[in-house]
Protein backbone atom coordinates (compact mmCIF):
# COMPACT_ATOMS: atom_id res chain seq x y z
CA UNK A 1 0.00 0.00 0.00
CA UNK A 2 1.44 3.37 -0.93
CA UNK A 3 -1.51 5.72 -0.19
CA UNK A 4 -0.13 8.95 1.18
CA UNK A 5 -0.61 9.39 4.91
CA UNK A 6 -1.27 13.08 4.37
CA UNK A 7 -4.25 12.37 2.10
CA UNK A 8 -6.05 10.59 4.94
CA UNK A 9 -5.95 13.71 7.14
CA UNK A 10 -9.09 15.81 6.99
CA UNK A 11 -8.41 19.18 8.59
CA UNK A 12 -11.66 20.84 9.67
CA UNK A 13 -11.95 24.59 10.35
CA UNK A 14 -12.06 23.82 14.06
CA UNK A 15 -8.85 21.79 13.85
CA UNK A 16 -7.14 24.52 11.83
CA UNK A 17 -7.99 27.04 14.56
CA UNK A 18 -6.69 24.69 17.24
CA UNK A 19 -3.45 24.14 15.28
CA UNK A 20 -3.00 27.91 14.88
CA UNK A 21 -3.15 28.26 18.69
CA UNK A 22 -0.80 25.31 19.25
CA UNK A 23 1.63 26.64 16.61
CA UNK A 24 1.77 30.04 18.30
CA UNK A 25 2.39 28.34 21.67
CA UNK A 26 5.11 26.18 20.10
CA UNK A 27 6.93 29.18 18.63
CA UNK A 28 6.59 31.14 21.89
CA UNK A 29 8.08 28.25 23.84
CA UNK A 30 10.94 27.76 21.38
CA UNK A 31 11.68 31.48 21.46
CA UNK A 32 11.61 31.54 25.23
CA UNK A 33 13.97 28.58 25.70
CA UNK A 34 16.32 29.81 22.97
CA UNK A 35 16.76 32.99 25.01
CA UNK A 36 16.93 31.18 28.34
CA UNK A 37 19.58 28.57 27.46
CA UNK A 38 22.99 29.11 25.98
CA UNK A 39 23.53 26.91 22.94
CA UNK A 40 20.24 25.01 23.06
CA UNK A 41 20.15 22.11 20.60
CA UNK A 42 17.33 20.42 18.72
CA UNK A 43 17.92 16.66 18.44
CA UNK A 44 16.02 15.52 15.37
CA UNK A 45 15.36 11.93 14.39
CA UNK A 46 13.22 13.14 11.47
CA UNK A 47 10.00 11.63 12.74
CA UNK A 48 6.73 13.46 11.97
CA UNK A 49 6.95 15.38 15.28
CA UNK A 50 10.52 16.43 14.55
CA UNK A 51 9.42 17.76 11.17
CA UNK A 52 6.91 20.03 12.94
CA UNK A 53 9.73 21.45 15.06
CA UNK A 54 12.02 21.86 12.04
CA UNK A 55 9.29 23.89 10.36
CA UNK A 56 8.60 26.00 13.46
CA UNK A 57 12.30 26.79 13.93
CA UNK A 58 12.66 27.78 10.29
CA UNK A 59 9.39 29.72 9.97
CA UNK A 60 10.21 31.76 13.06
CA UNK A 61 13.86 32.24 12.16
CA UNK A 62 14.88 31.11 15.63
CA UNK A 63 18.38 29.98 14.68
CA UNK A 64 18.33 27.00 17.04
CA UNK A 65 21.12 24.54 16.14
CA UNK A 66 20.10 21.07 14.97
CA UNK A 67 21.83 17.72 15.11
CA UNK A 68 20.89 14.14 14.32
CA UNK A 69 22.24 10.76 15.37
CA UNK A 70 23.16 8.68 12.35
CA UNK A 71 23.38 5.22 13.86
CA UNK A 72 24.75 3.66 10.67
CA UNK A 73 21.58 1.53 10.39
CA UNK A 74 19.03 4.19 9.41
CA UNK A 75 16.63 3.54 6.52
CA UNK A 76 17.49 5.16 3.19
CA UNK A 77 14.21 7.10 3.41
CA UNK A 78 15.48 8.86 6.55
CA UNK A 79 18.76 9.80 4.86
CA UNK A 80 16.80 11.24 1.94
CA UNK A 81 14.67 13.30 4.33
CA UNK A 82 17.74 14.62 6.16
CA UNK A 83 19.16 15.94 2.88
CA UNK A 84 15.81 17.30 1.70
CA UNK A 85 15.22 19.11 5.02
CA UNK A 86 18.70 20.60 5.03
CA UNK A 87 18.19 21.93 1.49
CA UNK A 88 14.64 23.16 2.06
CA UNK A 89 15.37 25.10 5.23
CA UNK A 90 18.97 25.98 4.30
CA UNK A 91 20.16 25.01 7.76
CA UNK A 92 23.07 22.75 8.61
CA UNK A 93 22.09 19.55 10.40
CA UNK A 94 25.11 18.16 12.21
CA UNK A 95 25.37 14.34 12.09
CA UNK A 96 26.83 12.38 15.00
CA UNK A 97 28.05 8.84 14.34
CA UNK A 98 28.91 5.92 16.64
CA UNK A 99 32.51 5.73 17.80
CA UNK A 100 34.24 3.71 15.04
CA UNK A 101 36.45 1.51 17.23
CA UNK A 102 33.63 0.67 19.66
CA UNK A 103 31.14 -0.33 16.98
CA UNK A 104 33.78 -2.28 15.07
CA UNK A 105 34.55 -4.32 18.19
CA UNK A 106 30.85 -4.89 18.99
CA UNK A 107 30.14 -6.18 15.47
CA UNK A 108 33.33 -8.23 15.37
CA UNK A 109 32.51 -9.96 18.66
CA UNK A 110 28.74 -10.29 18.26
CA UNK A 111 27.80 -10.12 14.58
CA UNK A 112 25.92 -7.57 12.48
CA UNK A 113 22.46 -8.11 14.00
CA UNK A 114 23.19 -9.16 17.57
CA UNK A 115 20.40 -6.86 18.83
CA UNK A 116 17.90 -9.64 18.02
CA UNK A 117 19.68 -12.06 20.39
CA UNK A 118 18.80 -10.51 23.77
CA UNK A 119 17.62 -7.32 25.47
CA UNK A 120 21.14 -6.86 26.78
CA UNK A 121 22.66 -7.00 23.28
CA UNK A 122 19.96 -4.68 21.92
CA UNK A 123 20.59 -2.12 24.65
CA UNK A 124 24.32 -2.37 24.10
CA UNK A 125 23.86 -1.63 20.39
CA UNK A 126 21.57 1.33 21.20
CA UNK A 127 24.11 2.59 23.71
CA UNK A 128 26.94 2.52 21.16
CA UNK A 129 24.92 3.85 18.22
CA UNK A 130 22.67 6.33 20.04
CA UNK A 131 23.35 7.07 23.72
CA UNK A 132 27.10 7.72 23.52
CA UNK A 133 26.83 9.89 20.36
CA UNK A 134 24.03 11.86 22.06
CA UNK A 135 26.28 12.53 25.03
CA UNK A 136 28.96 13.80 22.66
CA UNK A 137 26.44 15.98 20.81
CA UNK A 138 25.22 17.55 24.06
CA UNK A 139 28.60 18.03 25.71
CA UNK A 140 28.99 21.66 26.77
CA UNK A 141 25.51 22.60 25.53
CA UNK A 142 22.82 24.35 27.57
CA UNK A 143 19.68 22.28 26.98
CA UNK A 144 18.05 20.14 24.33
CA UNK A 145 14.76 19.94 22.50
CA UNK A 146 12.98 16.74 21.44
CA UNK A 147 9.85 15.90 19.46
CA UNK A 148 8.54 13.42 22.07
CA UNK A 149 4.81 13.19 22.85
CA UNK A 150 3.31 11.66 25.97
CA UNK A 151 0.80 9.46 24.13
CA UNK A 152 3.50 7.80 22.02
CA UNK A 153 4.13 4.88 24.35
CA UNK A 154 3.73 3.31 27.77
CA UNK A 155 7.17 4.64 28.68
CA UNK A 156 6.28 8.28 27.87
CA UNK A 157 2.95 8.78 29.63
CA UNK A 158 4.39 11.00 32.38
CA UNK A 159 6.29 13.21 29.92
CA UNK A 160 6.33 16.94 30.72
CA UNK A 161 6.99 19.87 28.41
CA UNK A 162 10.05 20.55 30.44
CA UNK A 163 12.08 18.14 32.58
CA UNK A 164 15.56 17.67 33.93
CA UNK A 165 17.54 15.08 32.00
CA UNK A 166 19.53 13.27 34.69
CA UNK A 167 21.54 11.33 32.11
CA UNK A 168 22.89 14.44 30.40
CA UNK A 169 22.56 16.83 33.36
CA UNK A 170 20.60 19.51 31.56
CA UNK A 171 17.04 20.64 30.85
CA UNK A 172 15.17 18.75 28.18
CA UNK A 173 12.34 20.56 26.41
CA UNK A 174 9.53 18.51 24.86
CA UNK A 175 7.34 21.19 23.23
CA UNK A 176 4.94 18.65 21.70
CA UNK A 177 4.46 16.62 24.90
CA UNK A 178 0.71 17.30 24.97
CA UNK A 179 0.10 17.18 21.21
CA UNK A 180 -2.02 14.36 19.79
CA UNK A 181 -1.01 12.44 16.68
CA UNK A 182 -3.78 14.17 14.75
CA UNK A 183 -2.36 17.59 15.72
CA UNK A 184 1.02 16.64 14.28
CA UNK A 185 -0.46 15.50 10.98
CA UNK A 186 -2.81 18.48 10.73
CA UNK A 187 0.20 20.80 11.23
CA UNK A 188 2.14 18.91 8.54
CA UNK A 189 -0.76 19.15 6.12
CA UNK A 190 -1.56 22.82 6.79
CA UNK A 191 2.09 23.86 6.44
CA UNK A 192 3.06 21.43 3.67
CA UNK A 193 5.89 20.10 5.80
CA UNK A 194 7.97 17.27 4.24
CA UNK A 195 7.92 13.93 6.05
CA UNK A 196 9.48 10.47 5.89
CA UNK A 197 7.89 8.46 3.06
CA UNK A 198 7.89 5.41 5.35
CA UNK A 199 4.91 7.02 7.09
CA UNK A 200 2.98 6.32 3.86
CA UNK A 201 3.80 2.63 4.31
CA UNK A 202 2.38 2.24 7.83
CA UNK A 203 5.49 3.10 9.77
CA UNK A 204 4.15 5.56 12.40
CA UNK A 205 7.42 5.51 14.36
CA UNK A 206 10.75 5.15 12.56
CA UNK A 207 14.12 4.21 13.99
CA UNK A 208 16.89 2.00 12.64
CA UNK A 209 15.90 -0.15 9.65
CA UNK A 210 16.45 -3.58 11.22
CA UNK A 211 14.56 -2.60 14.40
CA UNK A 212 11.49 -1.00 12.80
CA UNK A 213 8.59 -2.62 10.95
CA UNK A 214 5.23 -1.46 9.62
CA UNK A 215 2.21 -1.75 11.95
CA UNK A 216 -1.24 -3.21 11.29
CA UNK A 217 -4.53 -1.36 11.75
CA UNK A 218 -5.29 -0.94 15.47
CA UNK A 219 -1.73 -1.60 16.62
CA UNK A 220 0.01 0.82 18.96
CA UNK A 221 2.07 3.50 17.17
CA UNK A 222 5.28 2.14 18.74
CA UNK A 223 4.39 -1.50 18.03
CA UNK A 224 6.77 -1.57 15.07
CA UNK A 225 9.79 -0.49 17.11
CA UNK A 226 11.77 -3.44 18.58
CA UNK A 227 8.60 -5.46 17.93
CA UNK A 228 10.06 -8.60 19.49
CA UNK A 229 10.33 -6.89 22.92
CA UNK A 230 7.80 -6.05 25.65
CA UNK A 231 6.28 -2.50 25.53
CA UNK A 232 7.99 -1.44 28.78
CA UNK A 233 11.41 -2.01 27.17
CA UNK A 234 10.76 0.02 24.01
CA UNK A 235 13.22 2.84 24.53
CA UNK A 236 16.75 3.14 23.20
CA UNK A 237 18.20 4.76 26.31
CA UNK A 238 18.12 8.35 25.03
CA UNK A 239 15.08 9.23 27.11
CA UNK A 240 15.44 7.16 30.25
CA UNK A 241 15.37 9.13 33.48
CA UNK A 242 18.10 8.60 36.00
FE1 LIG B 1 21.08 -0.91 17.22
FE2 LIG B 1 18.53 -1.41 16.64
FE3 LIG B 1 19.19 0.28 18.64
FE4 LIG B 1 19.56 0.95 16.06
S1 LIG B 1 17.59 0.61 17.11
S2 LIG B 1 20.96 1.29 17.69
S3 LIG B 1 20.21 -1.05 15.16
S4 LIG B 1 19.56 -1.94 18.53
Amino acid sequence: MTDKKIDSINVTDEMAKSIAVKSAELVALLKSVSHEFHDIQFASSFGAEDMVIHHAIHASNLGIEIFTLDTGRLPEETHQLIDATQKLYRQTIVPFYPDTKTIELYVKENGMDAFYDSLEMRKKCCHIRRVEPLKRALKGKGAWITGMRSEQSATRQALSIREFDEGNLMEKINPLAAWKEVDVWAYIKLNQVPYNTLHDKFYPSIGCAPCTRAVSAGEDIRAGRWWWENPENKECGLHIKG
Side-chain angles (χ1 to χ4, degrees), residues 2 6 12 17 28 44 68 95 114 122 136 149 156 172 179 181 202 214:
T2 55
I6 206 71
T12 62
K17 278 186 203 151
S44 176
T68 192
R122 197 277 284 171
R136 252 188 289 131
R149 292 184 301 109
R156 298 185 179 181
K172 182 163 79 166
W179 284 41
E181 189 186 6
F202 302 98

Side-chain angles (χ1 to χ4, degrees), residues 71 73 115 121-122 125-126 129-130 208 210-211 226 236:
T71 62
R73 302 298 301 260
F115 34 80
M121 292 309 288
R122 197 277 284 171
C125 184
C126 281
R129 295 185 187 273
R130 292 168 176 267
C208 292
C211 299
W226 307 291
C236 58

Side-chain angles (χ1 to χ4, degrees), residues 3-242:
D3 289 345
K4 284 191 180 302
K5 166 89 182 172
I6 206 71
D7 294 338
S8 68
I9 311 297
N10 177 29
V11 184
T12 62
D13 289 349
E14 198 180 330
M15 279 167 72
K17 278 186 203 151
S18 161
I19 295 304
V21 173
K22 285 183 191 301
S23 304
E25 288 170 353
L26 169 61
V27 169
L29 176 65
L30 291 172
K31 256 187 198 153
S32 158
V33 294
S34 68
H35 290 134
E36 181 180 348
F37 296 104
H38 143 81
D39 230 351
I40 190 165
Q41 303 285 308
F42 169 40
S44 176
S45 60
F46 292 84
E49 292 78 7
D50 297 310
M51 298 317 296
V52 168
I53 298 176
H54 276 285
H55 178 269
I57 288 174
H58 174 75
S60 314
N61 203 18
L62 293 175
I64 292 171
E65 290 180 5
I66 304 171
F67 72 86
T68 192
L69 305 177
D70 187 340
T71 62
R73 302 298 301 260
L74 295 180
E76 181 52 27
E77 290 85 345
T78 304
H79 282 149
Q80 288 165 356
L81 183 60
I82 293 171
D83 271 356
T85 306
Q86 197 156 235
K87 279 188 193 133
L88 177 66
Y89 297 139
R90 294 185 295 279
Q91 181 170 11
T92 302
I93 295 160
V94 182
F96 282 82
Y97 294 91
D99 176 74
T100 309
K101 290 283 169 217
T102 313
I103 196 62
E104 280 176 0
L105 187 63
Y106 173 85
V107 173
K108 185 176 136 194
E109 288 182 345
N110 305 295
M112 290 299 292
D113 293 342
F115 34 80
Y116 293 133
D117 294 347
S118 68
L119 182 59
E120 187 195 349
M121 292 309 288
R122 197 277 284 171
K123 287 194 167 174
K124 200 164 179 184
C125 184
C126 281
H127 187 87
I128 296 168
R129 295 185 187 273
R130 292 168 176 267
V131 178
E132 188 282 327
L134 176 72
K135 282 193 187 303
R136 252 188 289 131
L138 293 178
K139 196 166 181 215
K141 306 300 182 187
W144 64 302
I145 298 166
T146 83
M148 293 168 78
R149 292 184 301 109
S150 64
E151 70 166 14
Q152 278 171 325
S153 70
T155 57
R156 298 185 179 181
Q157 281 170 6
L159 188 73
S160 314
I161 286 182
R162 190 173 168 143
E163 58 190 11
F164 189 72
D165 172 4
E166 304 277 354
N168 293 293
L169 299 175
M170 65 179 66
E171 286 290 306
K172 182 163 79 166
I173 315 297
N174 311 304
L176 307 185
W179 284 41
K180 303 289 177 201
E181 189 186 6
V182 69
D183 299 328
V184 171
W185 284 100
Y187 184 106
I188 286 174
K189 184 156 191 169
L190 286 166
N191 294 288
Q192 299 182 314
V193 175
Y195 64 89
N196 197 319
T197 53
L198 285 174
H199 290 307
D200 295 334
K201 298 174 183 168
F202 302 98
Y203 285 73
S205 176
I206 303 162
C208 292
C211 299
T212 308
R213 65 155 171 77
V215 302
S216 308
E219 270 194 307
D220 184 86
I221 56 175
R222 298 269 293 177
R225 302 290 298 277
W226 307 291
W227 65 91
W228 63 94
E229 292 182 358
N230 294 326
E232 63 271 21
N233 294 329
K234 287 172 181 265
E235 288 291 352
C236 58
L238 298 184
H239 304 296
I240 304 292
K241 288 189 176 180

